[in-house]
Amino acid sequence: MKIYDVENFPNPLRVRIALAEKNATDKATFIPVDLMDGEHRTAEFLAKNPAGGVPILELDDGTFIAECSAIIEYIDHEFSGPSLTGNTAKDRAVISMMQRRAESMVLDAVATYFHHATDGLGPALETYQNKAWGQKQLEKALSGLAYFDTVLAKNSYLAGNEFTAADITLHSGLVFAGFAQITVPSELTNLIAWQARIANRPSIAA
Ligand SMILES: N[C@@H](CCC(=O)N[C@@H](CS)C(=O)NCC(=O)O)C(=O)O
């Protein structure tokens, strides 16, 4: 299988962590996308993913799968090892809910702040910016972080006592927040402790 991505970008990072968790990194061939040169906006790329984003998974039969949550679902089922998306009906639903919250309340909010309220990826790529909307999304991201601090006061991980795809999404959101120079408030001690704890996982340390 092939993965079109940009190494170290927040969403591609999610898929790379999932592969590492499943010990399957060597099963993928990574195809670098020249995002800074606008390759993701070419007709050829948009034919693979109309949303114009990375990562994209291409299966050996030619199927293209975009959206990290879908790609991680595929990886989780394709390779053995501890489940990232849950085995029971309840676990699957709770993980899916927490994953979507981490995406919407933190990762996507940070991304919108970065692209709208800062210089983002530079004038060639940031062709439309709405600074007020970007600032509003910063507020949303900070509320999201406070929410996850309350979750982590009760559980070791976002969806209970196991590391899952939801933790991967929040981790990428925090990596993006750091890049966008958003500081995690020091009073969010449960979130900060979780961050330190997962930093020791080989998939994340790598
Ligand atoms: N919801 C998508 C987000 C993908 C995404 O926004 N990726 C960023 C890189 S971290 C990207 O390609 N940005 C380029 C753009 O949107 O123009 C997913 O889960 O894969």
Side-chain angles (χ1 to χ4, degrees), residues 171-190:
H171 170 70
S172 292
L174 288 178
V175 169
F176 203 166
F179 184 70
Q181 300 184 341
I182 300 169
T183 307
V184 175
S186 58
E187 67 268 23
L188 303 184
T189 52
N190 303 301

Side-chain angles (χ1 to χ4, degrees), residues 9-12 14 35 40-41 51-55 67-69 103 108:
F9 268 41
N11 282 288
R14 294 164 66 186
L35 197 126
H40 59 306
R41 296 189 182 161
V54 286
E67 296 299 326
C68 291
S69 51
E103 206 167 43
D108 290 352

Side-chain angles (χ1 to χ4, degrees), residues 47-76:
K48 298 181 177 81
N49 178 12
V54 286
I56 311 172
L57 167 66
E58 182 182 359
L59 302 181
D60 293 345
D61 70 359
T63 304
F64 289 104
I65 300 176
E67 296 299 326
C68 291
S69 51
I71 298 171
I72 291 173
E73 182 93 28
Y74 178 85
I75 291 167
D76 199 28

Side-chain angles (χ1 to χ4, degrees), residues 44-156:
E44 195 187 342
F45 188 92
L46 292 170
K48 298 181 177 81
N49 178 12
V54 286
I56 311 172
L57 167 66
E58 182 182 359
L59 302 181
D60 293 345
D61 70 359
T63 304
F64 289 104
I65 300 176
E67 296 299 326
C68 291
S69 51
I71 298 171
I72 291 173
E73 182 93 28
Y74 178 85
I75 291 167
D76 199 28
H77 286 89
E78 181 66 7
F79 303 108
S80 59
S83 174
L84 295 170
T85 57
N87 291 314
T88 67
K90 178 183 166 186
D91 286 353
R92 291 184 62 76
V94 170
I95 294 167
S96 172
M97 173 180 72
M98 297 309 284
Q99 192 292 126
R100 184 61 194 130
R101 284 183 182 161
E103 206 167 43
S104 150
M105 296 167 76
V106 178
L107 176 57
D108 290 352
V110 168
T112 305
Y113 164 74
F114 175 74
H115 290 296
H116 284 271
T118 77
D119 291 344
L121 297 175
L125 290 175
E126 309 294 2
T127 50
Y128 170 77
Q129 289 195 299
N130 181 331
K131 286 200 188 303
W133 177 238
Q135 285 299 339
K136 193 76 196 157
Q137 293 301 301
L138 174 59
E139 282 174 33
K140 180 176 177 178
L142 290 170
S143 304
L145 294 180
Y147 162 71
F148 284 112
D149 186 70
T150 66
V151 171
L152 291 163
K154 296 186 210 115
N155 300 328
S156 303

